[in-house]
Amino acid sequence: MRLSRYFLPILRETPKEAEIVSHRLMLRAGTIRQEAAGIYAWLPLGLRVLNKINAIIREEQNRAGAVEILMPTIQSADLWRESGRYEAYGKEMLRIKDRHEREMLFGPTNEEMVTAIVRAHVKSYKDLPLNLYHIQWKFRDEVRPRFGVMRSREFLMKDAYSFDIDAEGARHAYNKMFTAYLRTFARMGLKAIPMRADTGPIGGNLSHEFIILASTGESEVFCHRDFLEQPTPAADIAFDDRATMQGVFDHWTSKYAATSEMHDAAAFDALPEADRVSARGIEVGHIFYFGTKYSEPMGATVNGPDGKETALQMGSYGIGPSRLVAALIEANHDDKGVIWPTSVAPFQVGLANLKVGDAATDAACLDLYARLEKAGVDVLYDDRDDRPGAKFATLDLIGLPHQVIVGPKGLADGLVEIKNRRTGERETLTPDAAINKLTAQA
RNA sequence: CGGGGUAUAGCUCAGCCUGGUAGAGCGGUAGUUUUGGGUACUACAGGUCGUAGGUUCGAAUCCUGCUACCCCGACCA
């Protein structure tokens, strides 16, 4: 992409409303724009990151056997009356009426709807297990939205819902999602630690939050140091093998990890001092097993092998992609700007032409640009007639993993410079060598 | 939902106390300058001062209502 033809509204100064670093950097780097309290428009750069995150989530959900659907944002109140949550949900639910005065709502979650879908079409245990997920916008009318997309009213959520004939099957479904989540966050370069959680309004008796450690995190968390080094399950792990999945779960829950609500100070203090990690955390995923909480009142049943009608065993599994964008920045930035992990970076390479209009420099840049793109590397080419300093500052701010700097001085010797945004490491080399190096890394 | 605050140019803010018809820096445009970490200079453009009403000869400024947004707390993916 040529920057001159792109839409990247960089802010040099920080808008006053932004309190935390991810919110500040997202506004400055032209990724989002606030439209109302807790409601944001996604600009091109931010959307690219969001889509990268979604792609990783999809791959891992599919790998774990979940099937993608897409449910609407608007739901009917009657559906929620079936579970009793229409009354129970309170003012966080955005309630609206259509032109016929029918009561509708902007969905804060989809347990009722997905249960209705499965109830209508699944009649036999032979159709199970089933796990349906979608990635869709949700709305929760928070009293006080804040921290940008970290705590917004409208937010994107991947929510999966598992359906099984019995508790053992549901447990396996839970463990599969548990494993998929470990992989998902690891692929984004995040160390997410599963912590036992309160089930809250979703209900149920088994629940884990996936928390990433970041100094600006909203909640206090405590865990064993081993979590920081623990390797995540491989891509080819046997998702269909119950013992294997239970093994992953057991391994990842055998050591101490808890949020402040579930914290057991005595158990934590029993750990050797050197193993205790007490930090701030950001919740990026939350999984629940809640049995028949929705299937029973909503009459979602199937015939079992014994011919008896049985209420479905359910679980739900959420990840917040829009929040993850902010969480990733909280975990990956410096005083100059964002530092995107390669797997979610909006572009892999930023190409800076230091003297637009200079024939040799323009030609060298165009050549690099074309050859990198041809090699499948996403390049943002800064071809604007701007000062070198401004270009460096912009590239550092938007945080692309690699920078290629091309100017007349270097070109006189047939050389360009590449810089690693994360390490700051620079290297002067020929354009050919730069291309080799970048295609190998990206 | 309690408490506090803010609203003036695209962004960050000054002006308000003490009423006289709007400013700076950054950004934008045009030029000069030249160019390797947000260069310097010149000129230009850009605001019914959130909104509705009131007081006054006169309101960004004083008063009242409303709205929006922000912060602290309670609450939450």
PDB file of all heavy atoms in Angstrom, chain A residues 392-420:
ATOM      1  N   PHE A 392      10.248   8.855   9.970  1.00  0.00           N
ATOM      2  CA  PHE A 392      10.750   7.958  11.022  1.00  0.00           C
ATOM      3  C   PHE A 392       9.778   7.933  12.196  1.00  0.00           C
ATOM      4  O   PHE A 392       9.464   6.872  12.736  1.00  0.00           O
ATOM      5  CB  PHE A 392      12.123   8.415  11.509  1.00  0.00           C
ATOM      6  CG  PHE A 392      13.196   8.350  10.455  1.00  0.00           C
ATOM      7  CD1 PHE A 392      14.095   9.388  10.291  1.00  0.00           C
ATOM      8  CD2 PHE A 392      13.292   7.247   9.623  1.00  0.00           C
ATOM      9  CE1 PHE A 392      15.082   9.334   9.323  1.00  0.00           C
ATOM     10  CE2 PHE A 392      14.277   7.177   8.649  1.00  0.00           C
ATOM     11  CZ  PHE A 392      15.177   8.233   8.497  1.00  0.00           C
ATOM     12  N   ALA A 393       9.323   9.108  12.593  1.00  0.00           N
ATOM     13  CA  ALA A 393       8.438   9.186  13.749  1.00  0.00           C
ATOM     14  C   ALA A 393       7.121   8.460  13.474  1.00  0.00           C
ATOM     15  O   ALA A 393       6.600   7.757  14.330  1.00  0.00           O
ATOM     16  CB  ALA A 393       8.184  10.651  14.109  1.00  0.00           C
ATOM     17  N   THR A 394       6.614   8.632  12.256  1.00  0.00           N
ATOM     18  CA  THR A 394       5.359   7.967  11.902  1.00  0.00           C
ATOM     19  C   THR A 394       5.523   6.454  11.903  1.00  0.00           C
ATOM     20  O   THR A 394       4.704   5.725  12.455  1.00  0.00           O
ATOM     21  CB  THR A 394       4.879   8.431  10.513  1.00  0.00           C
ATOM     22  OG1 THR A 394       4.600   9.833  10.578  1.00  0.00           O
ATOM     23  CG2 THR A 394       3.621   7.685  10.085  1.00  0.00           C
ATOM     24  N   LEU A 395       6.613   5.975  11.299  1.00  0.00           N
ATOM     25  CA  LEU A 395       6.829   4.534  11.252  1.00  0.00           C
ATOM     26  C   LEU A 395       6.991   3.948  12.648  1.00  0.00           C
ATOM     27  O   LEU A 395       6.463   2.875  12.947  1.00  0.00           O
ATOM     28  CB  LEU A 395       8.062   4.210  10.399  1.00  0.00           C
ATOM     29  CG  LEU A 395       7.841   4.235   8.889  1.00  0.00           C
ATOM     30  CD1 LEU A 395       9.140   3.923   8.158  1.00  0.00           C
ATOM     31  CD2 LEU A 395       6.753   3.268   8.461  1.00  0.00           C
ATOM     32  N   ASP A 396       7.726   4.648  13.495  1.00  0.00           N
ATOM     33  CA  ASP A 396       7.873   4.152  14.862  1.00  0.00           C
ATOM     34  C   ASP A 396       6.523   4.137  15.565  1.00  0.00           C
ATOM     35  O   ASP A 396       6.201   3.204  16.291  1.00  0.00           O
ATOM     36  CB  ASP A 396       8.862   5.028  15.645  1.00  0.00           C
ATOM     37  CG  ASP A 396      10.309   4.731  15.275  1.00  0.00           C
ATOM     38  OD1 ASP A 396      10.553   3.701  14.619  1.00  0.00           O
ATOM     39  OD2 ASP A 396      11.188   5.532  15.643  1.00  0.00           O
ATOM     40  N   LEU A 397       5.725   5.175  15.345  1.00  0.00           N
ATOM     41  CA  LEU A 397       4.424   5.272  16.013  1.00  0.00           C
ATOM     42  C   LEU A 397       3.499   4.124  15.624  1.00  0.00           C
ATOM     43  O   LEU A 397       2.870   3.512  16.485  1.00  0.00           O
ATOM     44  CB  LEU A 397       3.773   6.620  15.664  1.00  0.00           C
ATOM     45  CG  LEU A 397       2.351   6.835  16.176  1.00  0.00           C
ATOM     46  CD1 LEU A 397       2.310   6.832  17.697  1.00  0.00           C
ATOM     47  CD2 LEU A 397       1.791   8.144  15.630  1.00  0.00           C
ATOM     48  N   ILE A 398       3.412   3.822  14.336  1.00  0.00           N
ATOM     49  CA  ILE A 398       2.448   2.799  13.915  1.00  0.00           C
ATOM     50  C   ILE A 398       2.995   1.387  14.102  1.00  0.00           C
ATOM     51  O   ILE A 398       2.251   0.427  13.952  1.00  0.00           O
ATOM     52  CB  ILE A 398       1.959   3.013  12.467  1.00  0.00           C
ATOM     53  CG1 ILE A 398       3.087   2.825  11.461  1.00  0.00           C
ATOM     54  CG2 ILE A 398       1.316   4.397  12.328  1.00  0.00           C
ATOM     55  CD1 ILE A 398       2.627   2.916  10.012  1.00  0.00           C
ATOM     56  N   GLY A 399       4.284   1.274  14.409  1.00  0.00           N
ATOM     57  CA  GLY A 399       4.793   0.022  14.948  1.00  0.00           C
ATOM     58  C   GLY A 399       4.915  -1.167  14.024  1.00  0.00           C
ATOM     59  O   GLY A 399       4.834  -2.308  14.479  1.00  0.00           O
ATOM     60  N   LEU A 400       5.134  -0.962  12.718  1.00  0.00           N
ATOM     61  CA  LEU A 400       5.339  -2.104  11.830  1.00  0.00           C
ATOM     62  C   LEU A 400       6.651  -2.791  12.227  1.00  0.00           C
ATOM     63  O   LEU A 400       7.607  -2.118  12.596  1.00  0.00           O
ATOM     64  CB  LEU A 400       5.402  -1.637  10.366  1.00  0.00           C
ATOM     65  CG  LEU A 400       4.224  -0.758   9.928  1.00  0.00           C
ATOM     66  CD1 LEU A 400       4.361  -0.383   8.460  1.00  0.00           C
ATOM     67  CD2 LEU A 400       2.900  -1.446  10.189  1.00  0.00           C
ATOM     68  N   PRO A 401       6.695  -4.121  12.151  1.00  0.00           N
ATOM     69  CA  PRO A 401       7.865  -4.846  12.677  1.00  0.00           C
ATOM     70  C   PRO A 401       9.191  -4.456  12.029  1.00  0.00           C
ATOM     71  O   PRO A 401      10.208  -4.409  12.698  1.00  0.00           O
ATOM     72  CB  PRO A 401       7.529  -6.315  12.383  1.00  0.00           C
ATOM     73  CG  PRO A 401       6.047  -6.361  12.279  1.00  0.00           C
ATOM     74  CD  PRO A 401       5.619  -5.042  11.724  1.00  0.00           C
ATOM     75  N   HIS A 402       9.150  -4.182  10.713  1.00  0.00           N
ATOM     76  CA  HIS A 402      10.401  -3.878  10.023  1.00  0.00           C
ATOM     77  C   HIS A 402      10.289  -2.573   9.247  1.00  0.00           C
ATOM     78  O   HIS A 402       9.238  -2.270   8.677  1.00  0.00           O
ATOM     79  CB  HIS A 402      10.767  -4.995   9.039  1.00  0.00           C
ATOM     80  CG  HIS A 402      10.814  -6.339   9.684  1.00  0.00           C
ATOM     81  ND1 HIS A 402      11.862  -6.759  10.465  1.00  0.00           N
ATOM     82  CD2 HIS A 402       9.919  -7.360   9.694  1.00  0.00           C
ATOM     83  CE1 HIS A 402      11.623  -7.983  10.917  1.00  0.00           C
ATOM     84  NE2 HIS A 402      10.448  -8.361  10.461  1.00  0.00           N
ATOM     85  N   GLN A 403      11.396  -1.816   9.221  1.00  0.00           N
ATOM     86  CA  GLN A 403      11.435  -0.597   8.431  1.00  0.00           C
ATOM     87  C   GLN A 403      12.557  -0.720   7.408  1.00  0.00           C
ATOM     88  O   GLN A 403      13.621  -1.246   7.725  1.00  0.00           O
ATOM     89  CB  GLN A 403      11.700   0.619   9.331  1.00  0.00           C
ATOM     90  CG  GLN A 403      10.628   0.806  10.393  1.00  0.00           C
ATOM     91  CD  GLN A 403      10.960   1.915  11.378  1.00  0.00           C
ATOM     92  OE1 GLN A 403      11.942   2.644  11.211  1.00  0.00           O
ATOM     93  NE2 GLN A 403      10.141   2.047  12.400  1.00  0.00           N
ATOM     94  N   VAL A 404      12.263  -0.249   6.213  1.00  0.00           N
ATOM     95  CA  VAL A 404      13.312  -0.156   5.193  1.00  0.00           C
ATOM     96  C   VAL A 404      13.469   1.321   4.870  1.00  0.00           C
ATOM     97  O   VAL A 404      12.493   1.987   4.515  1.00  0.00           O
ATOM     98  CB  VAL A 404      12.934  -0.934   3.915  1.00  0.00           C
ATOM     99  CG1 VAL A 404      14.057  -0.817   2.891  1.00  0.00           C
ATOM    100  CG2 VAL A 404      12.658  -2.391   4.228  1.00  0.00           C
ATOM    101  N   ILE A 405      14.685   1.813   5.042  1.00  0.00           N
ATOM    102  CA  ILE A 405      14.936   3.234   4.879  1.00  0.00           C
ATOM    103  C   ILE A 405      15.833   3.444   3.665  1.00  0.00           C
ATOM    104  O   ILE A 405      16.953   2.913   3.606  1.00  0.00           O
ATOM    105  CB  ILE A 405      15.572   3.796   6.165  1.00  0.00           C
ATOM    106  CG1 ILE A 405      14.557   3.657   7.309  1.00  0.00           C
ATOM    107  CG2 ILE A 405      15.985   5.239   5.974  1.00  0.00           C
ATOM    108  CD1 ILE A 405      15.170   3.587   8.671  1.00  0.00           C
ATOM    109  N   VAL A 406      15.289   4.191   2.715  1.00  0.00           N
ATOM    110  CA  VAL A 406      15.989   4.372   1.449  1.00  0.00           C
ATOM    111  C   VAL A 406      16.199   5.851   1.188  1.00  0.00           C
ATOM    112  O   VAL A 406      15.236   6.615   1.103  1.00  0.00           O
ATOM    113  CB  VAL A 406      15.174   3.755   0.292  1.00  0.00           C
ATOM    114  CG1 VAL A 406      15.927   3.925  -1.022  1.00  0.00           C
ATOM    115  CG2 VAL A 406      14.883   2.288   0.555  1.00  0.00           C
ATOM    116  N   GLY A 407      17.471   6.264   1.099  1.00  0.00           N
ATOM    117  CA  GLY A 407      17.766   7.660   0.830  1.00  0.00           C
ATOM    118  C   GLY A 407      18.935   7.782  -0.125  1.00  0.00           C
ATOM    119  O   GLY A 407      19.648   6.804  -0.366  1.00  0.00           O
ATOM    120  N   PRO A 408      19.132   8.971  -0.662  1.00  0.00           N
ATOM    121  CA  PRO A 408      20.196   9.174  -1.654  1.00  0.00           C
ATOM    122  C   PRO A 408      21.595   8.882  -1.113  1.00  0.00           C
ATOM    123  O   PRO A 408      22.436   8.373  -1.839  1.00  0.00           O
ATOM    124  CB  PRO A 408      20.069  10.656  -2.040  1.00  0.00           C
ATOM    125  CG  PRO A 408      18.916  11.201  -1.296  1.00  0.00           C
ATOM    126  CD  PRO A 408      18.337  10.165  -0.410  1.00  0.00           C
ATOM    127  N   LYS A 409      21.810   9.168   0.149  1.00  0.00           N
ATOM    128  CA  LYS A 409      23.155   8.952   0.707  1.00  0.00           C
ATOM    129  C   LYS A 409      23.556   7.482   0.649  1.00  0.00           C
ATOM    130  O   LYS A 409      24.645   7.143   0.193  1.00  0.00           O
ATOM    131  CB  LYS A 409      23.219   9.427   2.160  1.00  0.00           C
ATOM    132  CG  LYS A 409      23.260  10.939   2.278  1.00  0.00           C
ATOM    133  CD  LYS A 409      23.453  11.377   3.721  1.00  0.00           C
ATOM    134  CE  LYS A 409      23.251  12.870   3.849  1.00  0.00           C
ATOM    135  NZ  LYS A 409      23.187  13.295   5.261  1.00  0.00           N
ATOM    136  N   GLY A 410      22.658   6.642   1.126  1.00  0.00           N
ATOM    137  CA  GLY A 410      22.957   5.220   1.114  1.00  0.00           C
ATOM    138  C   GLY A 410      23.019   4.679  -0.300  1.00  0.00           C
ATOM    139  O   GLY A 410      23.910   3.895  -0.647  1.00  0.00           O
ATOM    140  N   LEU A 411      22.076   5.144  -1.128  1.00  0.00           N
ATOM    141  CA  LEU A 411      22.004   4.622  -2.490  1.00  0.00           C
ATOM    142  C   LEU A 411      23.258   4.941  -3.299  1.00  0.00           C
ATOM    143  O   LEU A 411      23.615   4.198  -4.215  1.00  0.00           O
ATOM    144  CB  LEU A 411      20.771   5.182  -3.206  1.00  0.00           C
ATOM    145  CG  LEU A 411      19.440   4.482  -2.910  1.00  0.00           C
ATOM    146  CD1 LEU A 411      18.332   5.141  -3.702  1.00  0.00           C
ATOM    147  CD2 LEU A 411      19.507   3.000  -3.210  1.00  0.00           C
ATOM    148  N   ALA A 412      23.921   6.035  -2.939  1.00  0.00           N
ATOM    149  CA  ALA A 412      25.159   6.388  -3.639  1.00  0.00           C
ATOM    150  C   ALA A 412      26.157   5.237  -3.536  1.00  0.00           C
ATOM    151  O   ALA A 412      26.975   5.023  -4.431  1.00  0.00           O
ATOM    152  CB  ALA A 412      25.747   7.669  -3.042  1.00  0.00           C
ATOM    153  N   ASP A 413      26.079   4.490  -2.404  1.00  0.00           N
ATOM    154  CA  ASP A 413      26.945   3.323  -2.238  1.00  0.00           C
ATOM    155  C   ASP A 413      26.195   2.029  -2.532  1.00  0.00           C
ATOM    156  O   ASP A 413      26.654   0.942  -2.180  1.00  0.00           O
ATOM    157  CB  ASP A 413      27.480   3.264  -0.795  1.00  0.00           C
ATOM    158  CG  ASP A 413      28.269   4.519  -0.455  1.00  0.00           C
ATOM    159  OD1 ASP A 413      28.983   5.019  -1.348  1.00  0.00           O
ATOM    160  OD2 ASP A 413      28.137   5.004   0.683  1.00  0.00           O
ATOM    161  N   GLY A 414      24.983   2.161  -3.095  1.00  0.00           N
ATOM    162  CA  GLY A 414      24.197   0.970  -3.414  1.00  0.00           C
ATOM    163  C   GLY A 414      23.603   0.298  -2.189  1.00  0.00           C
ATOM    164  O   GLY A 414      23.362  -0.901  -2.189  1.00  0.00           O
ATOM    165  N   LEU A 415      23.360   1.082  -1.107  1.00  0.00           N
ATOM    166  CA  LEU A 415      22.910   0.472   0.141  1.00  0.00           C
ATOM    167  C   LEU A 415      21.608   1.092   0.665  1.00  0.00           C
ATOM    168  O   LEU A 415      21.308   2.260   0.408  1.00  0.00           O
ATOM    169  CB  LEU A 415      23.998   0.646   1.214  1.00  0.00           C
ATOM    170  CG  LEU A 415      25.341  -0.045   0.900  1.00  0.00           C
ATOM    171  CD1 LEU A 415      26.390   0.362   1.919  1.00  0.00           C
ATOM    172  CD2 LEU A 415      25.173  -1.559   0.854  1.00  0.00           C
ATOM    173  N   VAL A 416      20.859   0.278   1.371  1.00  0.00           N
ATOM    174  CA  VAL A 416      19.679   0.757   2.091  1.00  0.00           C
ATOM    175  C   VAL A 416      19.823   0.289   3.541  1.00  0.00           C
ATOM    176  O   VAL A 416      20.708  -0.495   3.864  1.00  0.00           O
ATOM    177  CB  VAL A 416      18.366   0.190   1.490  1.00  0.00           C
ATOM    178  CG1 VAL A 416      18.211   0.615   0.043  1.00  0.00           C
ATOM    179  CG2 VAL A 416      18.305  -1.326   1.627  1.00  0.00           C
ATOM    180  N   GLU A 417      18.912   0.803   4.389  1.00  0.00           N
ATOM    181  CA  GLU A 417      18.996   0.422   5.799  1.00  0.00           C
ATOM    182  C   GLU A 417      17.722  -0.305   6.190  1.00  0.00           C
ATOM    183  O   GLU A 417      16.634   0.082   5.762  1.00  0.00           O
ATOM    184  CB  GLU A 417      19.165   1.688   6.637  1.00  0.00           C
ATOM    185  CG  GLU A 417      19.295   1.417   8.132  1.00  0.00           C
ATOM    186  CD  GLU A 417      19.475   2.713   8.924  1.00  0.00           C
ATOM    187  OE1 GLU A 417      20.384   3.501   8.568  1.00  0.00           O
ATOM    188  OE2 GLU A 417      18.706   2.936   9.870  1.00  0.00           O
ATOM    189  N   ILE A 418      17.857  -1.365   6.975  1.00  0.00           N
ATOM    190  CA  ILE A 418      16.649  -1.954   7.555  1.00  0.00           C
ATOM    191  C   ILE A 418      16.753  -1.853   9.068  1.00  0.00           C
ATOM    192  O   ILE A 418      17.831  -1.907   9.644  1.00  0.00           O
ATOM    193  CB  ILE A 418      16.417  -3.426   7.123  1.00  0.00           C
ATOM    194  CG1 ILE A 418      17.557  -4.325   7.567  1.00  0.00           C
ATOM    195  CG2 ILE A 418      16.212  -3.522   5.629  1.00  0.00           C
ATOM    196  CD1 ILE A 418      17.292  -5.784   7.227  1.00  0.00           C
ATOM    197  N   LYS A 419      15.586  -1.643   9.664  1.00  0.00           N
ATOM    198  CA  LYS A 419      15.564  -1.484  11.117  1.00  0.00           C
ATOM    199  C   LYS A 419      14.485  -2.377  11.697  1.00  0.00           C
ATOM    200  O   LYS A 419      13.377  -2.450  11.174  1.00  0.00           O
ATOM    201  CB  LYS A 419      15.289  -0.027  11.469  1.00  0.00           C
ATOM    202  CG  LYS A 419      15.094   0.206  12.963  1.00  0.00           C
ATOM    203  CD  LYS A 419      14.829   1.665  13.277  1.00  0.00           C
ATOM    204  CE  LYS A 419      14.024   1.794  14.566  1.00  0.00           C
ATOM    205  NZ  LYS A 419      13.641   3.173  14.859  1.00  0.00           N
ATOM    206  N   ASN A 420      14.838  -3.040  12.770  1.00  0.00           N
ATOM    207  CA  ASN A 420      13.883  -3.853  13.503  1.00  0.00           C
ATOM    208  C   ASN A 420      13.232  -2.956  14.547  1.00  0.00           C
ATOM    209  O   ASN A 420      13.895  -2.406  15.421  1.00  0.00           O
ATOM    210  CB  ASN A 420      14.621  -5.023  14.167  1.00  0.00           C
ATOM    211  CG  ASN A 420      13.679  -5.930  14.929  1.00  0.00           C
ATOM    212  OD1 ASN A 420      12.969  -5.496  15.831  1.00  0.00           O
ATOM    213  ND2 ASN A 420      13.680  -7.195  14.564  1.00  0.00           N
TER     214      ASN A 420
END
